[in-house]
Amino acid sequence: MVGFGKKLRQRQIHGWEEYYISYKMMKEKVKEFASHVQSDRRGNRKQVLREFSVMLDHQVEKIVLFLLMQQGQLASRLSQLADVREAAEDSEQGIGATQTSALQQAYESVGKDLLKLLQFVDMNATGLRKILKKFDKHVGYRLTDEYVASRSNHPYSQLQHIFRHVGIGAMVGTLSHNLAELQNHEEHIVTSVYEQSSRIWQDPLIESIRKAEDRLTNSTNFLRFLGNQALNERDDLPQLSEAEIEADQYHFMSLFLNLVNTFFYMVNTYIVVPTADKYAASLGAAPTVCGAIIGAMAVAQLVSSVYLSAWSNRSYLGPLIFSAVILCIGNVFYAIAYDFNSISILLLGRLLCGFGSARAVNRRYISDCVPAKFTLQASAAFVSASALGMATGPALAGLLEVHTSQFGITLNANTLPGWIMAGGWFLFLLWLWLGFKEPSHHDPITPSSHSSDINRGGNEWFKPLAIYSLDREDSLSDQERCQAATSISEAYGLLTPSVKVQLFIYFMLKFAMEILVSESSVVTAHYFQWSIHSVALFLALLGLTVLPVNWVIGSYASNIFQDRQLLVAAEILTCLGVLVSFDYGLMPYSVSQYISGALLMFISAEVLEGVNLSLLSKVMSSRLARGTYNGGLLSTEAGTVARVVADGTITLTGYFGESKLLNLTMLPTLVIGLLSIAGTLVTYNSMF
């Protein structure tokens, strides 16, 4: 296999050699730094990080300044060609065949040079990734995530010119429509830069440019975006090497069982949503008690997240077994409540299910026990399993519209979700007992202070980028940097204004999503007389939007816009979805209005969740990156509290009548959304 250094030399464009990344020199420096760290790890670590970051910044600056210079020259050539074409079109003779051919050749020449520039950027972006990977491997310090995060999201970053190439995209559009118009000149077809006609796409040169641009766009991997959503703790201090972790027999089946637990729990949460109102009514309660039925799991999860997270300090198998057992029992209680005609037994069953929530354990297993090279894939799988479970639950409920009795036990749409989930958890328990392997080294990897808060005021922006994140750890002793919070109150004391706003935004989006999902069966039955099957299909389709939306945001939007820009846009669109959903009474409330508002609110909240957790992982203190009371637990608790409050709101407002339920629940959702926008604007300059 040809090494990257040799490939870089072979593919360098003649005359541009001095502007490429000095890959050979950087490799030699990595080896030198690695030997220094090994000889005196503690004394040299900060100096090594500082020097290497400065070197990288110089390399990026060299690349970006040359890139901007070349972009300017290409833009100038395009502007001159536009003047020539306009003058020819305004002349009495118009554009002849000779002039058209000459202009086409001139535009194609610009296109070829633009393709060369894209190849230049792609090679340098690859070089940067590879040299960072070598540093992580040989020096034993995971600098890649910290370097890219601090540079790409900083307001004055040069790195984002490599990964977010809006200027190049604009030139591609100009080339496309000009070549298309010149090609179609005899047919008098006029195209716009915003039109994507089939002829534009058939041009071989433009197609090559677009493919090169797509490769560069996808350099920020979709898996990295999903991994940020999982909010797994970053582990940047020297840690166990890949060989040491793999030598301890990293167990894929154990990871897979954690993902299955995540999937089953989300199915268990949402399988009751289409039938909860009818189940409550069959037991003599108001249909709006469905809010209490659905929210009972969230109430119990507030407690279970803490004690299971603490338990996972000593074992992973124990909490997972407890989770499966208690969920099996809880679902049996939920199912038999029908035959006992007891709303109390039904609520007790849902509470028990909530006490079995092991999502905090699932997240922590990925963070602590999965080798670094698989962490992003595992985190992405965690998010995917959650999304798939959210869609599967309601879809499965829609298939259970039967009514029969076996051994004196009623089996219908109300009870079958409980029996099916109880059986599923029992089988999972057997699988867990036979297939899970307890990790032998169980201490969480110590994080660095690189992920500490970046919100000490606007003056932080004017620090040199090379020492920006490194200086933040100088004020803390090694012991302070590594000490985890030991209580909820201590963890709360570590929250800066930016982190508090991000947690409030997480509360807002979970509140909005829970209101929408939990009241859907009551609202649609009141306005549209939807059946269980219709509600189940609607909720399943909502859940299936999660992965496509995350793919678009992770692969494209996050490369063009800053996280904080996406955050504000998603908040505004979520509030707009709430406004669309209101029943204004001016005309009959229609299915199209409800679905439009629901889609806008739900999809915007999905976008908001990914961006919010990505920002939260960057601005949160490093002391919240490990231990029982970690950042992942705080975000989980914020989301759980939101679900509890939302389901309680549905139950309470139900006493005013089903006709007023929609507006009375959308009003607090709108208020909370507007407050989150205000908080975002106040702390906007500290979010990068």
Side-chain angles (χ1 to χ4, degrees):
M1 180 182 292
V2 179
F4 177 76
K6 185 175 180 180
K7 184 186 296 184
L8 179 63
R9 291 192 300 272
Q10 292 173 345
R11 296 186 180 181
Q12 285 180 346
I13 297 170
H14 179 67
W16 293 6
E17 292 88 353
E18 63 182 296
Y19 302 107
Y20 282 86
I21 182 175
S22 303
Y23 188 75
K24 183 178 180 181
M25 180 271 291
M26 297 293 285
K27 278 181 61 178
E28 293 172 352
K29 283 294 183 180
V30 167
K31 294 179 181 178
E32 180 183 332
F33 288 149
S35 62
H36 287 173
V37 170
Q38 290 173 2
S39 62
D40 185 8
R41 187 176 194 122
R42 185 163 183 167
N44 282 298
R45 183 172 63 85
K46 291 182 183 178
Q47 185 62 27
V48 164
L49 294 173
R50 203 181 297 272
E51 289 184 16
F52 190 74
S53 296
V54 168
M55 291 174 58
L56 276 177
D57 288 340
H58 288 165
Q59 293 294 315
V60 171
E61 182 180 52
K62 172 182 69 175
I63 296 166
V64 169
L65 290 179
F66 179 74
L67 170 64
L68 293 175
M69 180 178 69
Q70 291 297 314
Q71 282 182 310
Q73 292 176 2
L74 292 175
S76 177
R77 289 166 62 185
L78 287 173
S79 178
Q80 292 172 5
L81 287 174
D83 292 340
V84 170
R85 181 181 173 187
E86 183 179 359
E89 289 176 339
D90 292 342
S91 65
E92 294 182 0
Q93 295 82 9
I95 299 182
T98 303
Q99 288 177 307
T100 298
S101 177
L103 282 170
Q104 283 179 323
Q105 292 177 6
Y107 276 114
E108 287 173 355
S109 175
V110 174
K112 291 175 182 177
D113 289 342
L114 180 57
L115 184 59
K116 287 166 54 180
L117 187 60
L118 280 169
Q119 293 168 347
F120 167 82
V121 177
D122 186 44
M123 288 298 294
N124 281 290
T126 303
L128 287 171
R129 290 195 299 272
K130 285 186 174 292
I131 203 66
L132 280 166
K133 184 178 179 180
K134 285 186 177 294
F135 183 90
D136 294 348
K137 179 179 179 180
H138 294 290
V139 180
Y141 189 102
R142 292 185 60 196
L143 178 64
T144 300
D145 290 346
E146 171 59 28
Y147 185 84
V148 173
S150 62
R151 270 60 174 178
S152 64
N153 286 299
H154 195 281
Y156 305 137
S157 169
Q158 293 177 324
L159 188 64
Q160 61 181 301
H161 285 286
I162 296 177
F163 294 107
R164 297 169 179 169
H165 40 92
V166 178
I168 291 178
M171 284 189 283
V172 172
T174 300
L175 280 170
S176 298
H177 87 87
N178 275 286
L179 284 173
E181 287 183 359
L182 289 169
Q183 182 179 354
N184 301 326
H185 177 70
E186 294 181 0
E187 303 173 23
H188 303 287
I189 299 175
V190 180
T191 62
S192 166
V193 68
Y194 300 106
E195 294 176 357
Q196 297 179 349
S197 68
S198 58
R199 293 203 174 195
I200 294 178
W201 292 96
Q202 289 173 0
D203 188 287
L205 177 62
I206 296 301
E207 185 67 17
S208 298
I209 293 174
R210 290 191 184 280
K211 287 181 179 179
E213 187 185 20
D214 286 342
R215 284 197 301 270
L216 187 57
T217 296
N218 290 321
S219 62
T220 301
N221 200 294
F222 173 50
L223 292 177
R224 182 173 300 278
F225 185 79
L226 286 181
N228 281 333
Q229 287 199 45
L231 197 67
N232 290 299
E233 298 87 340
R234 295 192 300 186
D235 41 9
D236 294 328
L237 278 183
Q239 53 185 276
L240 292 170
S241 68
E242 292 293 313
E244 289 174 312
I245 293 177
E246 292 176 352
D248 195 48
Q249 297 180 353
Y250 155 64
H251 201 235
F252 173 78
M253 181 57 70
S254 298
L255 169 62
F256 186 72
L257 284 166
N258 271 276
L259 297 175
V260 172
N261 181 281
T262 298
F263 170 76
F264 270 16
Y265 187 79
M266 294 303 290
V267 172
N268 210 146
T269 300
Y270 289 99
I271 194 172
V272 305
V273 172
T275 58
D277 60 327
K278 297 172 180 61
Y279 201 170
S282 70
L283 299 180
T288 52
V289 174
C290 67
I293 295 173
I294 297 168
M297 280 185 73
V299 172
Q301 190 178 339
L302 288 171
V303 179
S304 66
S305 295
V306 177
Y307 71 74
L308 289 181
S309 180
W311 193 350
S312 66
N313 288 328
R314 301 184 300 275
S315 169
Y316 286 109
L317 181 59
L320 292 175
I321 289 178
F322 175 83
S323 169
V325 170
I326 205 73
L327 278 157
C328 186
I329 296 172
N331 279 289
V332 169
F333 272 67
Y334 181 84
I336 65 175
Y338 187 89
D339 291 314
F340 281 89
N341 194 32
S342 172
I343 191 72
S344 299
I345 294 178
L346 185 148
L347 291 173
L348 176 61
R350 290 291 287 180
L351 282 170
L352 287 174
C353 289
F355 283 125
S357 171
R359 285 175 63 80
V361 179
N362 303 143
R363 286 182 176 184
R364 190 168 182 183
Y365 183 89
I366 293 174
S367 175
D368 292 350
C369 304
V370 176
K373 64 181 179 181
F374 299 130
T375 301
L376 291 177
Q377 291 91 331
S379 299
F382 175 86
V383 176
S384 301
S386 299
L388 186 60
M390 185 178 182
T392 302
L396 185 59
L399 302 176
L400 303 178
E401 293 189 73
V402 298
H403 189 89
T404 185
S405 178
Q406 297 290 333
F407 307 106
I409 299 174
T410 303
L411 301 177
N412 58 23
N414 295 327
T415 63
L416 276 174
W419 291 119
I420 288 177
M421 292 311 304
W425 284 114
F426 179 75
L427 294 176
F428 174 77
L429 179 62
L430 296 178
W431 188 8
L432 186 69
W433 183 259
L434 296 174
F436 190 86
K437 179 184 177 183
E438 186 77 79
S440 58
H441 57 268
H442 189 58
D443 291 334
I445 297 168
T446 307
S448 82
S449 60
H450 282 309
S451 59
S452 60
D453 51 287
I454 313 174
N455 46 10
R456 303 301 185 194
N459 292 335
E460 292 284 353
W461 289 6
F462 299 98
K463 285 189 176 184
L465 285 177
I467 62 174
Y468 178 80
S469 60
L470 299 176
D471 280 350
R472 288 178 287 163
E473 68 177 39
D474 292 343
S475 60
L476 298 173
S477 67
D478 289 341
Q479 182 177 3
E480 288 173 325
R481 284 195 302 270
C482 298
Q483 184 179 5
T486 57
S487 66
I488 285 287
S489 59
E490 184 179 353
Y492 183 80
L494 295 173
L495 302 182
T496 59
S498 293
V499 177
K500 290 177 181 178
V501 168
Q502 293 305 313
L503 288 175
F504 181 76
I505 293 171
Y506 194 68
F507 174 93
M508 181 274 286
L509 69 93
K510 287 297 182 184
F511 182 91
M513 294 174 76
E514 189 72 9
I515 286 287
L516 173 64
V517 171
S518 296
E519 72 177 12
S520 59
S521 58
V522 179
V523 170
T524 55
H526 174 74
Y527 284 105
F528 318 125
Q529 291 76 50
W530 279 7
S531 64
I532 293 175
H533 179 77
S534 299
V535 177
L537 179 61
F538 169 69
L539 293 177
L541 292 175
L542 275 184
L544 288 174
T545 62
V546 173
L547 290 180
V549 169
N550 281 330
W551 180 79
V552 172
I553 298 299
S555 297
Y556 293 99
S558 62
N559 294 300
I560 299 174
F561 303 103
Q562 295 180 11
D563 285 351
R564 54 185 182 172
Q565 294 172 329
L566 292 172
L567 188 79
V568 174
E571 286 177 294
I572 293 173
L573 289 174
T574 302
C575 291
L576 182 59
V578 175
L579 289 172
V580 172
S581 298
F582 272 99
D583 179 7
Y584 294 99
L586 302 177
M587 59 184 67
Y589 196 67
S590 65
V591 173
S592 60
Q593 180 183 349
Y594 177 74
I595 292 179
S596 298
L599 282 173
L600 183 57
M601 184 164 60
F602 191 84
I603 292 175
S604 300
E606 289 174 23
V607 174
L608 189 58
E609 181 173 9
V611 178
N612 168 255
L613 292 182
S614 175
L615 279 170
L616 191 58
S617 67
K618 295 171 185 175
V619 301
M620 188 171 284
S621 168
S622 62
R623 292 183 61 192
L624 293 174
R626 66 176 303 212
T628 301
Y629 303 98
N630 55 68
L633 176 64
L634 291 179
S635 62
T636 299
E637 293 292 89
T640 304
V641 170
R643 291 173 54 202
V644 171
V645 174
D647 291 322
T649 301
I650 293 171
T651 301
L652 292 176
T653 54
Y655 288 105
F656 294 96
E658 294 180 22
S659 61
K660 297 181 180 180
L661 177 65
L662 180 64
N663 286 350
L664 288 178
T665 52
M666 287 297 147
L667 182 59
T669 306
L670 179 62
V671 171
I672 295 172
L674 293 175
L675 289 175
S676 74
I677 294 175
T680 300
L681 295 178
V682 170
T683 58
Y684 185 80
N685 290 333
S686 61
M687 294 180 189
F688 54 85

